Amino acid sequence: MKSNLLQIIELVLRRFLRGINFFQSHQRVLLVCNTPLMADYLADIFEIFKNDPHLAFYVLPPLPEESQGACDYIRRKLPVSVVGWMWAGVLPWNLIIVSDHCRLPWICRFFPIIFISHGIETGKLVDGEPYTYGKWSLIDKCRPRYSTMFAASETERMRGLKQNPFLRD
């Protein structure tokens, strides 16, 4: 049984993907995965869409020197084609899905990015600032990093907007 959050994400993603140009043989979806924990969250989304013949999934794992042993777990959890950092920055993506405020090749900023929150806002602080809706969710301190961010509830959404008004729709 899917959680309410996953049902909402599925509905929104299906509507979003319906609007993408389907004249290509498939749509390229990049799953950006920096840690094994993020693979667990991205796997939930992948499971919903893995049988859609219009979608081709790829995963961008962390650089090997950044995460020893994580790549094997990520590949098992997300059994899709692995793309390296160079190709991630060269290929045109129809959609990029991230589950944390990760580092992306600069070119990826030109494609739609959906942030799948990795849990209800817990109040986690980094350098004294809220993590989920803090400076990590912005580019140049004023532009949202993501095309879309999902909040688990209206309460969480309002908390995020209070912490960071730049995230307003």
Side-chain angles (χ1 to χ4, degrees):
M1 185 169 140
K2 296 178 192 169
S3 72
N4 288 341
L5 179 59
L6 279 179
Q7 288 174 341
I8 292 168
I9 291 171
E10 179 179 7
L11 175 69
V12 171
L13 284 177
R14 285 197 186 280
R15 286 186 180 166
F16 176 80
L17 291 170
R18 224 180 275 139
I20 294 176
N21 179 1
F22 278 100
F23 292 113
Q24 298 175 1
S25 61
H26 62 271
Q27 304 299 302
R28 288 185 197 91
V29 179
L30 180 64
L31 304 171
V32 180
C33 189
N34 288 335
T35 67
L37 179 61
M38 297 307 120
D40 292 338
Y41 294 114
L42 290 168
D44 289 338
I45 302 303
F46 173 68
E47 285 298 315
I48 294 170
F49 296 101
K50 71 180 181 182
N51 295 320
D52 189 323
H54 300 291
L55 302 176
F57 287 93
Y58 300 83
V59 65
L60 175 62
L63 296 169
E65 60 270 15
E66 290 180 358
S67 188
Q68 297 297 329
C71 291
D72 291 336
Y73 180 84
I74 291 168
R75 287 185 182 132
R76 281 192 309 274
K77 199 71 179 174
L78 297 166
V80 300
S81 299
V82 174
V83 65
W85 279 79
M86 182 188 79
W87 286 110
V90 173
L91 292 173
W93 301 103
N94 298 98
L95 182 64
I96 299 172
I97 302 176
V98 299
S99 61
D100 66 346
H101 306 299
C102 55
R103 184 176 47 150
L104 289 170
W106 71 270
I107 193 73
C108 291
R109 293 181 182 176
F110 298 105
F111 304 108
I113 301 173
I114 292 182
F115 171 69
I116 304 299
S117 182
H118 48 276
I120 296 173
E121 177 60 32
T122 61
K124 175 181 174 182
L125 299 177
V126 176
D127 298 332
E129 292 187 34
Y131 180 73
T132 301
Y133 300 111
K135 65 183 179 184
W136 294 271
S137 61
L138 300 174
I139 297 172
D140 302 327
K141 299 181 182 178
C142 64
R143 290 185 302 132
R145 180 177 303 275
Y146 311 104
S147 306
T148 304
M149 288 178 73
F150 292 101
S153 67
E154 184 64 19
T155 302
E156 182 183 348
R157 180 182 172 278
M158 295 309 294
R159 183 182 311 131
L161 291 175
K162 183 178 177 184
Q163 289 174 358
N164 197 331
F166 289 109
L167 298 177
R168 187 165 306 284
D169 295 339

